[in-house]
Amino acid sequence: MATFVDRYPDEAKVVQASFAVAFIALGIGAFFGLIQALHRTNILRVIDSVDYYTLLTAHGVLLALVFTIFFLVGVFTWAIAKGFERPLPDIRLTWAWFGLMTTGTVLTAVAILAGLVPEIPMSADVLYTFYAPLEAHPAFYIGLAMFIVGTWMAGADWFLAYRDWRGDNPDERIPLQPFMVLTTMIMWYVSTLGVAVAVVFFLIPWSLGLIETVNPLLTRTLFWYFGHPVVYFWLMPAYLLWYTVLPKLAGGRLFSDPLARVVFVLFVLLSTPVGIHHQYVDPGIAEGFKFIAMTNTMFLLLPSLLTAFTVVASVEHGARQRGGEGYLSWLGALPWRDPAFAGMALAGLMFAAGGFSGMVNAGMNINYLVHNTLWVPGHFHMTVGTAVALTMMAGTYWLLPQITGKTVYSRPIGLFQVVLWFIGMVFMSNAMHRGGLLGIPRRTAEPQYQNFDFAAAVGSVGEIRMQIAFGGLLLFLSVVFFLFNVAATWAEDRVDTPVDDTIPAPLSPPSGAPLILDNLALWTGIAVVLVVLAYTLPLASIVTDSGLLGSSPGF
Ligand code: HAS
Ligand code: HEM
Ligand code: CU
């Protein structure tokens, strides 16, 4: 059967364009990451310490927001058209959100990088969390707002596709991949409300000089209301690939479709009322609210633990189909030479470790030990930086032939590249975790500690710093190989080799899932109620304590 690009040529162009923007951001962001890793460890300094924060902002924004979310809109567009087996309702709407997101990205990136050029009176050294009282040029916030509105329009596009499909199929279960897209977007609509209020009502007027002051705790809390769910927004495209593509690549089928639906519904319900776990050390929020956030966070482990069970069971099933045997020796029967499989499986393995460091973060008492140390970047380079980023790179090797009709330029380079990422991240993130436990702070250009010297004992800060720099170098090289491989694939001429893009039916089919799981309105309603319960009192007390507009000027 014809592959995606032949069936949906217009949609394939949008997916390609989204991936292209994502990969450009990945290349630039990874380069800045290398500069940071070398600078912080005092191995090579090519920028001054002020520019460090400019690059750190660009690194966070380009990788955590632009790369991940542009890849997401690409893969979701693919999943909607493929899953509903129809083109999107109006391709002009599709290009409109793509255009808005891209324009917003350019505006924000220019506002940040202008900080490197003293002649341009523009800067946005506010980090990717853009907390007040750090203040950026208005273009930074306006670009971000355009970017977010673009994602809202993308969601609308996919919901319209759902409405059309539902019209023709009144009694069918929502196909699994579109189900994942729609539930993820519900979570996104609920959670972006917080950041939209912060940006539109406070940060933009403040940066334009329309209001004098802001209440930093209020904007911070609104940010984290969005800042935790956004991590699942990054993660859900990876989950979509782990649930629907990884089992197939392993040679088997998804273990349970109903369980997968339960997981995505749990994310809709629980992703938002936990944001205060990023604010355990913030004064001005009562301990009790922090405790509630911690309890909710522990419940939120459930969908990921279910995922670990379901996905590993599916992969094991695949291995046994391929002749694998024994308690663990089935692992050897997996297609480890396939870059798409190997990359996703390694990303999943690393996510298990990143999930555990997340559990440590989430404990109110242990959080005091790790908060604001390098432990935290250690945690999120395993989660967003590997579970998500490596799955996206590996997934590209499977998706690119479908959206271009071309075969991957070099599978050996692909395999080398994904393994190199895994090794680089073992060095970098393990050392970051260890450094954090020794108290090395995050977000500083000048952590004044011992440098590496060969006489220094293993376990010294010098040794940890060396590992961070070495890991960072391997990661950067991995990105270079990835981008080369993708560009070389794109540059090829099209030859008509058949593409296997089928996804086998799950072992436990959707017919076994209770109908209520597909009741999207119900889950949205409950999610909103939980958010109101978790946030009304903390927000009310922040506003009564120091007022809507607070008293902080910008810095
Ligand atoms: Fe986190 C801070 C708690 C998950 C990202 N997190 C951050 C920050 C980022 C981030 C970016 O409670 C820093 C923000 C900043 O700049 O200040 N996090 C958690 C918890 C989880 C968690 C409880 N985080 C993520 C994910 C992220 C992410 C996912 C991005 C994608 N995090 C925190 C807390 C903080 C925090 C505190 C604040 C720290 C502070 O003090 O500042 C959980 O969701 C984790 C659950 C995961 C698991 C693992 C399940 C394992 C699976 C593997 C399956 C295996 C496969 C392999 C597929 C329980 C699913 C199969 C192959 C074979 C071969 C078998
Ligand atoms: C921060 C290196 C890839 C997301 C950092 C820091 C280093 C670093 C050393 C800590 C800076 C500090 O706290 O002072 C690298 C290297 C990479 C890489 C060498 C690979 C070439 C990624 C990827 C993502 C990512 C793929 C996400 C998709 C972030 C974020 C921060 C960060 C969100 C925090 C920025 C902040 O604190 O404001 N990175 N990274 N990084 N990285 Fe990476
Ligand atoms: Cu969080």
Side-chain angles (χ1 to χ4, degrees), residues 239 243 258-268 303-304 306-307 310:
Y239 271 23
Y243 273 101
L259 205 54
R261 286 177 205 254
V262 169
V263 165
F264 277 75
V265 166
L266 283 171
F267 279 120
V268 174
S304 288
L306 289 175
T307 300
T310 320

Side-chain angles (χ1 to χ4, degrees), residues 128 231-232 277-278 311 348 355 358 361-362 367 371 379-380 383 442:
Y128 81 112
V231 313
Y232 296 122
H277 71 215
H278 292 265
V311 175
N361 296 343
N367 181 271
H371 185 67
H379 160 69
F380 63 68
T383 51
R442 67 182 284 204

